[in-house]
Amino acid sequence: MSAARYRIGQGYDIHPWSTDPRRKLVLGGLVFDGLPGLAGHSDADVIAHACTDALLGAAGLGDIGTLFPDTDPALEGADSVELLRLAVKELAAAGWEPVNVDCTAVLDEPKLSPIRHRMEAVLTAAVGAPVTVKGKRTEQVPELAGAVQCWAVALVRSP
Ligand code: MG
């Protein structure tokens, strides 16, 4: 009997704040009223996108843009947690299962500490393995204020 194989992957994403008042802010699968949205083809959920890329990278399955092109009209306004779920299905088809994902998002609003557990619940349900979310502020670095960034690492296993 051979031992399980493990691989790690890293994901990164950035979406600028949108000036379009119709854009809803979606982060970690949660929708926030009263804040600007992020610009993007899908719902621009930067946290879900970083998780997706980390998992795809770990499994050697490319990246989110290959699987879900931002030129595909069908993906306009797409629910990124659903895309994450579909990516996990691709992993399963290739013989990989997620072990965990850990992310760090950089933003000032909304503060993640009071809500990160709700995001983690949504993302964990989509991935089928623990997803943890941490927030860092922009610390008044002007170059960081115009966008939300997220980094993620994922561990996957081939049983
Ligand atoms: Mg993205």
Side-chain angles (χ1 to χ4, degrees):
M1 194 176 97
S2 61
R5 288 189 302 145
Y6 289 86
R7 287 175 60 156
I8 61 165
Q10 180 254 346
Y12 166 79
D13 198 26
I14 180 169
H15 283 267
W17 292 104
S18 172
T19 54
D20 181 347
R22 294 166 302 178
R23 293 287 302 179
K24 287 260 185 201
L25 178 62
V26 183
L27 285 172
L30 307 183
V31 181
F32 297 89
D33 291 320
L35 286 169
L38 295 171
H41 184 64
S42 66
D43 64 8
D45 186 338
V46 66
I47 296 177
H49 292 179
C51 290
T52 304
D53 258 359
L55 286 163
L56 290 171
L61 294 175
D63 63 22
I64 188 170
T66 310
L67 211 53
F68 309 111
D70 65 3
T71 49
D72 183 348
L75 294 175
E76 194 172 341
D79 175 349
S80 297
V81 171
E82 183 57 28
L83 302 184
L84 174 59
R85 207 172 279 126
L86 293 170
V88 170
K89 278 191 180 168
E90 294 288 325
L91 259 74
W96 294 100
E97 65 182 32
V99 176
N100 76 301
V101 184
D102 183 43
C103 348
T104 302
V106 180
L107 74 172
D108 294 316
E109 295 261 25
K111 277 193 184 151
L112 293 194
S113 52
I115 53 173
R116 67 186 178 89
H117 294 298
R118 283 168 53 211
M119 291 182 179
E120 289 170 348
V122 171
L123 297 168
T124 293
V127 170
V131 179
T132 43
V133 178
K134 306 183 300 296
K136 301 296 277 186
R137 309 233 183 100
T138 65
E139 304 295 347
Q140 278 104 50
V141 177
E143 291 80 6
L144 300 181
V148 178
Q149 299 177 88
C150 187
W151 284 260
V153 290
L155 184 68
V156 300
R157 165 175 61 203
S158 180

